[in-house]
Amino acid sequence: MKRVFPETPLVAEPHLSTKEVAVMIGRHQSMAADYVNQGLFPNVYLDTSVRGQGAFRVPKSDVLHYLNGPQPSLDTQVRQAAQTWLAVRTNDGQDAISYLDLEDFEFEGRRFPLKSRQRGIWKPRLLDAALSITTTFRRPGQERPYEDEVGPDGMLRYKWQGDDADAADNRALRRAMDDGLPLIWFFGVAPGLYQPIFPVFLVDEEVDKQQFVVDIDPQGAFLDGDNETESPMEVEVLKRYGTRIARTRLHQRLFRSTVIDAYGSRCAICNLRHKVLLDAAHIIPDADADGAPTVVNGMAMCKIHHAAFDSHILGVRPDLVVEIRTDILDEVDGPMLKYGLQERHRQPLMSVPSKRSQRPSVPLLEAAYARFKQA
């Protein structure tokens, strides 16, 4: 959530720059800025004077209160910093990130790996519990080394490393579960490309099946806290509903990352290459029985063309040629209508996946095009 800072100091007292704060708390300067953004200094303000325009200023009393109060553990600092960094790098968790980009994360001025190259469970030496888990990318027809599944309660499962419950990796996950620590789950969507889901929590262990139960949208604070829901049945319904919504969001993120990557981060219709302006459009809506969240049922589209496709203003023929609805061709409006829609009429897609296995399914295109013609 974006913080709003007051324009003037709230208290007439000495104020410190983030560099001075870093010196006082003995941290790297970039970490001091993270503390400001996390709201640990409640009276911070932006200095809008000519000399210090845009600089943070923190009341000295806030820093002293922070130093004299309970300090967050190293574990907490690492997890908070990692998730804040990932949120910035992945458009709040909407976009995938490459393994090489993951190596850019730093903690207190030093590079700090967020996942292992070889292992699915990662516990850095500095931490007592696992920091992240990984599900490897699987090409169509291939099996993953460990197949994560959905249980009867609708929650996802993550398999042990090997068969030994006392193996170091499994102990690291068990420690994270027992301490209620947030983890990052990296889903492979292409070779070297991962969709991060965070935070996730381990809420149970099924020893007989050698796996942990993963909550990808924690609701314990609501369901177990002060609320008016007293019926166990109501609580169970809410949990199942929340889990279903969480799984839907997960699948949407994985679908988006897979499709955008297949199209080289370009709009299929106009070739726009700004990932933040791109969506993964379903050829057949996901509410339909045939609307599976698979790459062959998707096309990368900018937000304008996605909306036009969903509203049947724009259609794509099975031969990958764009058509614009007849009444739209007769309209007179601004340059977006002319260049963005009308001039794309009867033009081939400008971007298609290089791999034939990732290109749109012809039967799905035929069904979608028939709906377009009937609109």
Side-chain angles (χ1 to χ4, degrees):
M1 183 173 64
K2 187 176 182 180
R3 286 176 49 77
V4 178
F5 300 98
E7 295 183 357
T8 57
L10 298 180
V11 184
E13 60 173 284
H15 288 71
L16 307 173
S17 68
T18 50
K19 183 176 182 180
E20 292 168 326
V21 171
V23 172
M24 283 193 68
I25 65 178
R27 301 292 185 196
H28 193 268
Q29 184 175 351
S30 62
M31 284 298 297
D34 287 338
Y35 292 169
V36 168
N37 282 315
Q38 291 167 17
L40 297 180
F41 303 120
N43 298 313
V44 67
Y45 75 101
L46 280 173
D47 186 347
T48 56
S49 65
V50 175
R51 295 182 62 185
Q53 186 173 7
F56 288 120
R57 292 291 183 267
V58 183
K60 188 174 182 179
S61 61
D62 279 8
V63 182
L64 291 173
H65 182 269
Y66 169 78
L67 290 173
N68 294 329
Q71 297 295 305
S73 67
L74 174 65
D75 190 290
T76 297
Q77 293 177 49
V78 170
R79 292 174 197 274
Q80 288 180 346
Q83 293 187 35
T84 299
W85 182 86
L86 270 177
V88 172
R89 285 297 189 97
T90 63
N91 187 24
D92 250 352
Q94 296 298 312
D95 297 332
I97 186 169
S98 72
Y99 186 86
L100 292 177
D101 287 338
L102 282 173
E103 294 182 338
D104 291 342
F105 173 68
E106 294 184 354
F107 180 74
E108 295 189 348
R110 294 180 298 174
R111 287 196 172 184
F112 197 97
L114 294 183
K115 69 179 298 299
S116 169
R117 282 183 178 269
Q118 291 83 24
R119 308 181 75 84
I121 302 168
W122 172 235
K123 186 197 81 66
R125 290 184 180 179
L126 290 178
L127 305 186
D128 294 326
L131 175 64
S132 69
I133 53 180
T134 298
T135 295
T136 58
F137 169 66
R138 176 180 62 182
R139 290 185 173 87
Q142 287 184 331
E143 292 186 0
R144 296 188 178 98
Y146 297 92
E147 190 59 42
D148 307 316
E149 58 186 23
V150 178
D153 55 4
M155 286 190 177
L156 291 168
R157 268 55 177 175
Y158 192 83
K159 292 292 186 181
W160 285 358
Q161 176 73 37
D163 299 324
D164 183 2
D166 200 43
D169 287 341
N170 298 327
R171 291 201 312 269
L173 282 185
R174 196 170 297 116
R175 178 67 180 269
M177 178 184 70
D178 291 341
D179 292 351
L181 298 174
L183 295 160
I184 303 165
W185 195 342
F186 292 105
F187 283 82
V189 294
L193 191 67
Y194 297 90
Q195 174 65 50
I197 306 297
F198 58 92
V200 302
F201 291 83
L202 305 181
V203 296
D204 199 3
E205 183 176 10
E206 297 172 336
V207 177
D208 57 327
K209 296 183 179 179
Q210 301 183 347
Q211 61 192 15
F212 291 90
V213 181
V214 187
D215 190 348
I216 62 174
D217 193 15
Q219 299 165 70
F222 168 72
L223 293 172
D224 299 329
D226 294 333
N227 59 78
E228 298 179 356
T229 301
E230 298 181 356
S231 165
M233 184 176 295
E234 285 185 67
V235 171
E236 183 62 26
V237 169
L238 284 170
K239 284 183 176 179
R240 288 182 178 274
Y241 175 76
T243 301
R244 180 171 60 82
I245 294 298
R247 285 178 54 206
T248 299
R249 290 173 181 166
L250 170 64
H251 292 156
Q252 287 172 345
R253 290 189 181 186
L254 296 177
F255 174 68
R256 169 184 162 80
S257 295
T258 304
V259 171
I260 299 272
D261 178 67
Y263 282 77
S265 298
R266 294 181 183 273
C267 172
I269 309 298
C270 67
N271 228 26
L272 179 70
R273 189 173 187 176
H274 285 275
K275 190 178 291 186
V276 71
L277 298 177
L278 297 181
D279 292 334
H282 286 81
I283 296 173
I284 299 298
D286 54 0
D288 289 19
D290 295 329
T294 58
V295 67
V296 297
N297 186 41
M299 289 185 286
M301 293 187 188
C302 67
K303 295 184 182 298
I304 290 291
H305 288 134
H306 185 187
F309 182 79
D310 285 352
S311 58
H312 302 303
I313 288 175
L314 177 153
V316 178
R317 297 188 335 213
D319 60 356
L320 305 184
V321 171
V322 176
E323 283 195 6
I324 304 299
R325 205 171 66 206
T326 304
D327 61 313
I328 301 298
L329 292 173
D330 296 333
E331 288 186 15
V332 177
D333 200 352
M336 176 53 72
L337 178 67
K338 179 179 180 181
Y339 299 108
L341 292 173
Q342 291 172 337
E343 291 199 358
R344 295 303 305 142
H345 184 55
R346 292 183 177 172
Q347 297 297 313
L349 294 182
M350 297 189 71
S351 178
V352 295
S354 57
K355 298 178 181 177
R356 290 189 175 275
S357 62
Q358 295 180 330
R359 292 179 185 176
S361 160
V362 172
L364 296 179
L365 283 176
E366 289 173 342
Y369 183 65
R371 296 182 184 184
F372 165 75
K373 296 299 288 184
Q374 294 171 1

